[in-house]
Amino acid sequence: MRFIADFHIHSRYSRATSKDMNLEGLSKWAKIKGISLLGTGDFTHPLWFQELKENLKEENYGIYSYNHTYFILTSEISFIYSQNKKLRRIHLIIFAPSLEIAFKINKILGKFSDLSVDGRPTIGKSMLEVLPLLWEISEDIHIIPAHAWTPWFSLFGSNSGFDSIEEAFGEYTDKIFAIETGLSSDPPMNWRLSFLDKISLISNSDAHSPSKIGREANMFDCDMNYKEIFDAIKSQDKNRFLFTIEFFPEEGKYHYDGHRNCNISLHPKESIKLKNICPVCKKTLTIGVLHRIEILADREEGFTPPNRIPYVNLVPLEEIIAQAINKDPSSPYVQKEYMRLIENLGDELSILLYRDISDIAKVSERVAMGIKLMRDKKISIKPGYDGVYGKIEIFNNEERQISLF
């Protein structure tokens, strides 16, 4: 069975999330986006867990459904603690194979945090104290570091992370078989680190609103079964785990170094010359993902290890439409055009990945040209930095004048 999965999202019970991040809204937008399997997010929150328990129907081991959309039980946890005289802020994705096991996870985590405060609870204990308690419940509970390179809250973050998986997880290192690359990095950036060769790379949206689900995701061709999916991920089986869907990493909001308040954005080589000090305010720059990878990498840019899972970079359809008609992505006109394309051509990811350009051109020639330029990687990007998303330019003046055919 061929399907696209987005494992990491949030519910309306997390801070700064849309009220439409409920089962109805998620199921609706999963169909629009082309996502067959969606993480529930936030199963640690008691109110959201109750909604999941009351509304999800078990279909297969570890797989549930609601209104013809499949779900897998996931939640994100924030750990903040001190290790080796340094403050660590790490976010992890927890996968549970059943509601019964998720309930047991919640009972343990509830001893360390008030789970009702936020959909992504904060725990002030070391991961090394808490995670073994979860693995005692079931060997099918899986832990994957979230957005592993984000500066502030991640495994390898420049401000609070570690320099290796072993440093972070110690004797439990063998339990960590995958990381989430995050919006500001893609597989080629991670391939530069030889110690990640045995680690699978997955990609997810970390969506806080329904229209953002699927902006990063994973394509599988296997039984939609909890154990089968994780076996495909662990083994990096290219026949079952086909590829990841990625942002262009420059579009992520922590790709370059910089200072948002000072309007300063710098390539790591420039930052190093400045000793990582902002030339405007003279304070330390926020060090981005590219810089952090440069520090830890033991391979040159462009290195491709054998037998790694392939990937494809995409620009969201909404952004392509907005640039094609020179409107803001949030404008009603863009939203109307987006739904017109969906109604005529199918779900968003199918349009971006597979639909024939000539078919798209019958609905919108300008959008078809934008998708072709994206597929050919003939676009330019102003990299994101210090919480500011990068800006993609799909059409330059010359290309705007060229007919698609």
Side-chain angles (χ1 to χ4, degrees):
M1 178 182 181
R2 196 178 174 100
F3 61 93
I4 297 177
D6 179 1
F7 298 122
H8 181 187
I9 68 161
H10 289 278
S11 74
R12 69 184 187 280
Y13 294 103
S14 278
R15 292 189 179 101
T17 53
S18 166
K19 60 180 176 58
D20 296 323
M21 292 296 274
N22 52 41
L23 286 172
E24 195 65 38
L26 291 171
S27 177
K28 170 188 171 182
W29 277 93
K31 296 177 180 68
I32 292 171
K33 294 289 183 173
I35 302 294
S36 297
L37 178 62
L38 198 58
T40 59
D42 299 353
F43 72 63
T44 53
H45 194 281
L47 296 179
W48 184 234
F49 181 81
Q50 189 62 31
E51 289 187 35
L52 298 176
K53 188 176 178 181
E54 291 175 356
N55 292 283
L56 293 183
K57 176 186 176 184
E58 188 170 12
E59 296 287 350
N60 206 336
Y61 180 68
I63 305 297
Y64 294 80
S65 70
Y66 175 85
N67 193 22
H68 307 292
T69 298
Y70 294 100
F71 288 88
I72 188 168
L73 297 168
T74 62
S75 195
E76 185 181 13
I77 298 177
S78 175
F79 282 91
I80 300 178
Y81 61 99
S82 178
Q83 183 172 325
N84 296 333
K85 298 180 180 180
K86 182 179 178 180
L87 184 64
R88 313 291 181 167
R89 298 185 182 95
I90 312 295
H91 286 186
L92 303 176
I93 311 168
I94 296 182
F95 293 78
S98 70
L99 286 165
E100 292 76 18
I101 289 175
F103 177 76
K104 293 179 181 179
I105 291 172
N106 292 349
K107 284 192 71 174
I108 288 178
L109 295 181
K111 297 176 183 178
F112 304 103
S113 177
D114 183 350
L115 301 184
S116 66
V117 171
D118 187 12
R120 180 181 59 205
T122 297
I123 295 175
K125 293 281 187 180
S126 167
M127 298 186 298
L128 302 181
E129 293 180 55
V130 178
L131 295 182
L133 302 176
L134 304 185
W135 287 317
E136 285 178 6
I137 297 171
S138 169
E139 63 180 12
D140 286 343
I141 293 172
H142 299 307
I143 305 294
I144 294 181
H147 41 72
W149 294 95
T150 300
W152 301 103
F153 296 95
S154 71
L155 175 61
F156 300 127
S158 59
N159 291 307
S160 60
F162 297 90
D163 290 344
S164 69
I165 295 175
E166 289 78 7
E167 184 187 2
F169 291 96
E171 62 182 296
Y172 304 105
T173 294
D174 289 345
K175 294 280 191 180
I176 306 303
F177 55 84
I179 63 171
E180 181 186 68
T181 56
L183 301 182
S184 292
S185 87
D186 64 2
M189 294 169 67
N190 288 264
W191 293 341
R192 295 184 59 193
L193 293 88
S194 61
F195 71 78
L196 291 180
D197 284 353
K198 295 181 179 180
I199 298 296
S200 296
L201 306 176
I202 66 170
S203 296
N204 304 293
S205 68
D206 196 4
H208 287 225
S209 62
S211 64
K212 299 298 184 183
I213 64 173
R215 57 184 175 179
E216 291 204 338
N218 311 274
M219 175 70 83
F220 294 94
D221 189 359
C222 63
D223 291 340
M224 196 180 287
N225 171 290
Y226 189 90
K227 288 192 174 183
E228 179 83 3
I229 291 167
F230 279 104
D231 186 65
I233 293 173
K234 287 181 183 180
S235 63
Q236 299 186 45
D237 183 349
K238 292 195 287 187
N239 292 317
R240 293 181 294 164
F241 186 4
L242 303 184
F243 59 87
T244 59
I245 295 167
E246 310 277 342
F247 252 36
F248 283 89
E250 298 90 342
E251 194 178 2
K253 59 184 179 179
Y254 290 105
H255 189 71
Y256 264 19
D257 306 335
H259 256 178
R260 174 174 39 187
N261 293 339
C262 300
N263 198 29
I264 292 294
S265 172
L266 298 170
H267 187 279
K269 291 180 180 179
E270 298 176 86
S271 302
I272 291 168
K273 290 179 182 178
L274 296 169
K275 298 182 179 179
N276 300 331
I277 299 299
C278 175
V280 176
C281 69
K282 308 304 179 184
K283 295 180 181 179
T284 303
L285 294 162
T286 297
I287 300 303
V289 170
L290 186 60
H291 191 141
R292 182 68 170 147
I293 285 177
E294 287 286 349
I295 291 172
L296 297 180
D298 57 354
R299 291 166 173 161
E300 293 299 318
E301 189 174 356
F303 179 87
T304 303
N307 302 317
R308 295 310 301 265
I309 300 298
Y311 73 100
V312 59
N313 296 112
L314 296 181
V315 178
L317 180 58
E318 190 177 71
E319 291 185 35
I320 297 174
I321 295 169
Q323 293 196 39
I325 61 178
N326 200 27
K327 298 281 187 182
D328 187 273
S330 63
S331 73
Y333 193 91
V334 169
Q335 301 306 312
K336 182 178 179 181
E337 186 68 2
Y338 176 90
M339 294 310 301
R340 187 174 77 90
L341 283 158
I342 297 297
E343 289 166 5
N344 283 277
L345 296 167
D347 64 77
E348 176 176 348
L349 289 173
S350 294
I351 294 170
L352 295 175
L353 288 166
Y354 302 123
R355 284 305 297 256
D356 191 275
I357 295 298
S358 62
D359 291 337
I360 301 170
K362 292 173 184 177
V363 182
S364 172
E365 183 168 332
R366 186 66 64 84
V367 170
M369 181 184 291
I371 292 174
K372 186 176 189 306
L373 291 169
M374 175 202 69
R375 290 178 183 176
D376 295 341
K377 296 191 175 181
K378 293 181 179 179
I379 62 176
S380 61
I381 310 175
K382 183 179 179 181
Y385 67 98
D386 195 18
V388 178
Y389 281 108
K391 294 182 180 179
I392 288 181
E393 182 180 314
I394 299 171
F395 303 91
N396 61 35
N397 290 334
E398 181 181 349
E399 287 160 340
R400 285 181 182 277
Q401 305 303 318
I402 299 174
S403 171
L404 183 64
F405 302 106

